[in-house]
Amino acid sequence: MNSSPNLRRLAALKAKSLHRRLRTIDSVDGIRVQRDGRVFVNFASNDYLGLAQHPALRAAAIEAVKEFGAGSGASRLITGTLAVHQELEAKLAVFKQTTAALTFESGYAAATGTIPALFGKGDIIILDKLVHACLIDGARLSGAEIRVYPHNRLDRLEELLKWARQKRPGSNILVLTESVFSMDGDLCPLSEIVELKEKYGAILLLDEAHATGVCGPGGAGLAAELGLGNRIEIQMGTLSKAVGSAGGFVAGDAALIDLLINSARTFIYSTAPTPAAVAAAIAGVSLISSPTGEQLRATLRDNVKRCRENQELTGSCGSAIVPIVVGSESEALRASEKLAEQGYLVPAIRFPTVPRNSARLRVTLSAAHEPKEILGLREAIAGAATEPIRLGLHRPDA
Ligand SMILES: *Cc1c(COP(=O)(O)O)cnc(C)c1O
């Protein structure tokens, strides 16, 4: 293959400070990781409660490997459905207070399998401008007509719902949003969105990737916090972040789950999640909904407050994501490197993950951080910035 077009594209990415490369972590010790022979405090992980390193999850994974093996051997509909898959799905249904739940290889696979299984040509999908790539890809794969509303703008969402209802009176209309947004850490106005989708007879898919385990009663998420779970048709989450394992899930009524088993291609045509990952997720969900989970969430909230300079958090659903919007891609990279020199891993998030010229440092906190590590990070950030910046005061639409 002639590689010069590839080299040209790589050079263009480098020129715009948009080139990415893999950096290897050689060992992990809780929240501290080793890279290139140096130890860093990790402020880049989505392991919000420290469960990925928890002894109970490690032990559960090892037990499952002993009992079922390293791989599950086949897809779920063939012989890949093991007792652990069934146990995890029953547990997730209880956790989310739905009749049923279904797990996928990843949250990405949950979204890209679910949306095209339920919606298609002739339907309309309306999504928040800042939703995660997996929701956008799922919407594109479905072949439905896609419309985008500015982040959290209810007036624009309503305009689109009204337009969609008039344009296609009998069609399915799907609204896609996240509860805690992945790159901004803010919440969607969920009660209002639920009211609107009901007013126009639309369906809601809520992605709780960053709220699962972090907010709501028993860590069940924002829908549970607001008592809206039974009014949201498709509740999605991941097992890869606060749950501490890997995988994604959808929770809802029995007909929804049965239909996904029969038509979600990422579910049908992929080998079942490994026994180790599934068993670790069971242990993760158990911990999250236990008093230990409650304690870890309280510690996480204290850590978020500490990082945000004691600025009051909105409601009980504070997110663990603190974005520091820098603007230029090269400046964000430079700040990230400067923090690394001082022993703090904070990623520079750039286009296309976030809009152009809204590159940012994305600090994610964990219950496993020590207060002195957070104070150290704050000082390092103040030193790394060319202009004074305040943590967590970013408002995407301001
Ligand atoms: C991380 C993430 C996903 C994907 O979950 P994985 O299990 O990592 O594939 C989906 N949606 C949102 C909002 C996310 O942040």
Side-chain angles (χ1 to χ4, degrees), residues 46 48 105-111 130-135 178-183 207-210 236-241 245-249 321 362:
N46 299 313
Y48 299 122
E105 193 65 41
S106 66
Y108 185 92
L130 296 188
V131 294
H132 190 266
C134 68
L135 300 172
E178 291 170 32
S179 52
V180 170
F181 278 84
S182 62
M183 293 301 140
D207 182 350
E208 297 240 43
H210 295 276
M236 190 190 126
T238 174
L239 304 167
S240 328
K241 290 174 177 149
S245 181
F249 69 88
I321 302 160
R362 177 176 179 269

Side-chain angles (χ1 to χ4, degrees), residues 159-349:
E159 273 172 33
L160 286 170
L161 282 165
K162 207 179 276 174
W163 164 84
R165 256 302 148 246
Q166 275 163 6
K167 179 168 179 188
R168 302 239 179 80
S171 71
N172 290 314
I173 303 170
L174 172 67
V175 176
L176 293 178
T177 186
E178 291 170 32
S179 52
V180 170
F181 278 84
S182 62
M183 293 301 140
D184 291 271
D186 57 344
L187 305 180
C188 76
L190 186 58
S191 305
E192 290 82 356
I193 291 174
V194 168
E195 294 288 334
L196 279 178
K197 69 97 184 165
E198 286 176 354
K199 181 172 169 191
Y200 293 93
I203 292 161
L204 178 61
L205 186 158
L206 180 68
D207 182 350
E208 297 240 43
H210 295 276
T212 306
V214 173
C215 74
L222 183 62
E225 168 76 16
L226 301 174
L228 294 170
N230 60 0
R231 290 165 66 186
I232 298 167
E233 292 82 357
I234 311 167
Q235 299 194 65
M236 190 190 126
T238 174
L239 304 167
S240 328
K241 290 174 177 149
V243 179
S245 181
F249 69 88
V250 169
D253 67 28
L256 168 72
I257 300 306
D258 198 11
L259 186 56
L260 291 179
I261 290 171
N262 283 278
S263 52
R265 294 170 69 85
T266 59
F267 176 84
I268 298 172
Y269 299 106
S270 192
T271 299
T274 63
V278 175
I282 294 171
V285 176
S286 292
L287 273 173
I288 277 172
S289 34
S290 76
T292 305
E294 216 51 68
Q295 274 167 14
L296 290 170
R297 276 188 290 283
T299 307
L300 176 62
R301 261 195 298 278
D302 287 345
N303 282 348
V304 173
K305 272 194 200 163
R306 205 166 270 126
C307 184
R308 288 184 181 250
E309 302 170 324
N310 294 319
Q311 170 198 340
E312 270 316 301
L313 303 178
T314 44
S316 63
C317 260
S319 94
I321 302 160
V322 181
I324 303 158
V325 175
V326 174
S328 104
E329 280 76 24
S330 59
E331 185 65 15
L333 268 184
R334 198 194 55 79
S336 171
E337 278 159 19
K338 214 161 161 186
L339 292 177
E341 281 165 21
Q342 294 173 73
Y344 301 104
L345 285 193
V346 178
I349 307 284

